[in-house]
Amino acid sequence: MNVRGAVVVVTGASSGIGRATASAFAREGATLVLAARREERLRELATEIERRGGEAMVVRTDVTERADLEALRDAVLGAHQRCDVLVNDAGIPGGGRFADVTLDRIESTVRTNLVGLLAATKLFLPTMLRAGSGHVVNVASVAGRVALPGAAVYSATKHAVVAFSEALDAEVSPDGVRVTAVNPGLVRTEGFPASDVPDRWTTSTERVADTIVRVVRKGIAPEISVPRAAGSLLALHAFAPPLFRAGVRAATRARNPRGGRRQPVSDPAD
């Protein structure tokens, strides 16, 4: 797809990967629609984009509210008559160890990370199918392929996102629409500070954003991991599951030798 001039909708655009992705598309000449809960942050980003000569529209959106998503769709189609790219980035952490997670937290994580993503895709897909082109990019996670302790609920939602992306791409690719799950490794963001993890084990939001732009430009689907080194982890999980799980248990014991509970990470109000 030619990114220049494309209408790109980004949920979760107020911070982290979503913000970096919006900026990356704007640098390539796309027209941005910025969606998240924190409207003031969206307006700051829109101002930055416009100062660089780009175009951005702000629509305050809570992806867990159907009315908000319907209003987002209507605003995009009213202003631009189409949506070429939908980046579903809005998401929150799962709250840590499953034994410590409240039922309210489980519900909010599933509604944000999965149900909101499904609903946004459902609302924007028809305009892409009518046009015979478009790309839906779902920001999943390596945790959507490799389930790690301490992230059971989060991993469950991201596994579902990966499966959904693969199935939907097979359904709609004959009609000219592609769907891709982008699986970042550990990325430091507001919701995932990862302060105890060495820098060499993390990936920048900018690198993930550049990957998303490349996915759309080259039509890569239905899945890609970033960084590429994450592929080695996935290969180990696929071809030597006992070895992988033994390594995970050893790493978990090393980080938490006395069995104490880590505090769950709070999520930003994106």
Side-chain angles (χ1 to χ4, degrees):
M1 179 187 296
N2 184 1
V3 174
R4 181 168 296 278
V7 176
V8 179
V9 178
V10 182
T11 70
S14 63
S15 64
I17 293 172
R19 184 183 181 94
T21 299
S23 295
F25 273 111
R27 287 193 297 271
E28 297 295 324
T31 296
L32 272 299
V33 179
L34 311 175
R37 288 178 291 181
R38 292 180 290 186
E39 185 174 354
E40 69 284 357
R41 290 203 176 189
L42 296 179
R43 297 203 176 279
E44 290 172 3
L45 176 57
T47 298
E48 291 179 12
I49 290 172
E50 290 165 355
R51 283 175 180 167
R52 297 195 298 264
E55 182 180 349
M57 181 172 75
V58 169
V59 183
R60 186 197 175 280
T61 307
D62 182 341
V63 299
T64 67
E65 297 293 337
R66 182 185 298 183
D68 280 14
L69 288 173
E70 290 173 343
L72 173 63
R73 176 203 56 194
D74 293 346
V76 172
L77 297 185
H80 303 292
Q81 294 75 55
R82 71 185 199 276
C83 171
D84 300 305
V85 180
L86 171 64
V87 180
N88 284 311
D89 175 67
I92 61 174
R97 286 166 47 96
F98 188 75
D100 301 330
V101 182
T102 66
L103 286 172
D104 285 344
R105 182 61 176 204
I106 292 171
E107 182 177 346
S108 65
T109 303
V110 173
R111 288 181 64 196
T112 303
N113 295 3
L114 179 57
V115 178
L117 180 148
L118 296 175
T121 303
K122 179 68 176 176
L123 290 170
F124 280 99
L125 186 61
T127 187
M128 295 182 181
L129 292 174
R130 285 193 296 268
S133 65
H135 205 132
V136 178
V137 179
N138 297 321
V139 179
S141 172
V142 168
R145 280 296 188 185
V146 178
L148 300 174
V153 177
Y154 180 79
S155 293
T157 61
K158 295 303 182 178
H159 270 68
V161 169
V162 171
F164 167 68
S165 302
E166 183 173 359
L168 184 59
D169 183 67
E171 289 181 14
V172 300
S173 58
D175 300 309
V177 179
R178 302 313 307 262
V179 183
T180 308
V182 174
N183 302 329
L186 186 58
V187 181
R188 280 202 180 97
T189 63
E190 190 174 347
F192 296 86
S195 56
D196 58 344
V197 178
D199 288 342
R200 65 181 181 276
W201 292 355
T202 65
T203 302
S204 69
T205 57
E206 291 75 17
R207 184 171 182 180
V208 179
D210 289 344
T211 298
I212 291 172
V213 173
R214 179 166 61 88
V215 159
V216 172
R217 182 185 291 116
K218 296 188 175 183
I220 299 169
E223 186 178 2
I224 189 171
S225 296
V226 56
R228 290 184 178 180
S232 300
L233 182 66
L234 301 184
L236 180 62
H237 179 266
F239 296 109
L243 181 60
F244 172 84
R245 289 167 185 146
V248 168
R249 286 193 295 270
T252 302
R253 287 194 298 269
R255 293 186 66 186
N256 201 12
R258 296 184 181 179
R261 297 180 180 180
R262 299 181 62 188
Q263 292 297 315
V265 179
S266 60
D267 61 295
D270 70 357

